[in-house]
Amino acid sequence: DLANCKLMTFPVGIYKAMRSVTEGIHCISLANNELKSLTSRFVTTFSQLRELNLAGNYLHRLPEEVTSLPHLRAINLSRNRFRRFPEPLAAVTTLETIDLEENEI
């Protein structure tokens, strides 16, 4: 849980520190930060995610690599800056919940 930390990017040091345990991480919250983008490295590093909370950031798109999250069941993108539905999510067949409330769609 890295919510409410005023992060502008995902901390690079966390990739290194968590290298040996990323397969066991199923839920990440980066809510209420200042993220403008999500990198492909983030998605490929945390490939076993089931829930991802990105609410309350400045996101307007998602990387194509989101399609390679085979276990993702829920994603919260509320209170961001999306102007259209993030197309990569259409290819994630395991998704049960997509929250896009309070965007510019």
Side-chain angles (χ1 to χ4, degrees):
D1 185 350
L2 290 172
N4 302 300
C5 293
K6 297 185 180 181
L7 297 175
M8 296 177 82
T9 59
F10 190 78
V12 175
I14 290 180
Y15 291 120
K16 295 174 184 173
M18 300 185 79
R19 188 177 313 148
S20 63
V21 296
T22 56
E23 295 293 314
I25 296 174
H26 301 290
C27 182
I28 292 179
S29 178
L30 291 167
N32 304 313
N33 280 293
E34 298 173 11
L35 301 173
K36 292 182 181 174
S37 65
L38 195 63
T39 65
S40 55
R41 181 179 182 187
F42 175 86
V43 176
T44 55
T45 299
F46 298 103
S47 61
Q48 300 301 308
L49 284 179
R50 294 184 183 138
E51 296 178 29
L52 180 56
N53 185 351
L54 295 166
N57 281 285
Y58 301 114
L59 301 171
H60 64 278
R61 66 174 200 81
L62 292 175
E64 279 298 317
E65 288 80 4
V66 167
T67 62
S68 66
L69 292 174
H71 308 290
L72 190 64
R73 292 187 319 228
I75 188 165
N76 186 340
L77 297 168
S78 64
R79 300 183 330 276
N80 274 283
R81 297 202 173 149
F82 288 93
R83 291 180 182 240
R84 61 180 65 103
F85 183 84
E87 287 300 319
L89 294 181
V92 184
T93 59
T94 53
L95 270 172
E96 297 171 0
T97 305
I98 301 171
D99 188 344
L100 284 163
E101 186 176 16
E102 295 183 43
N103 275 280
E104 300 169 12
I105 297 173

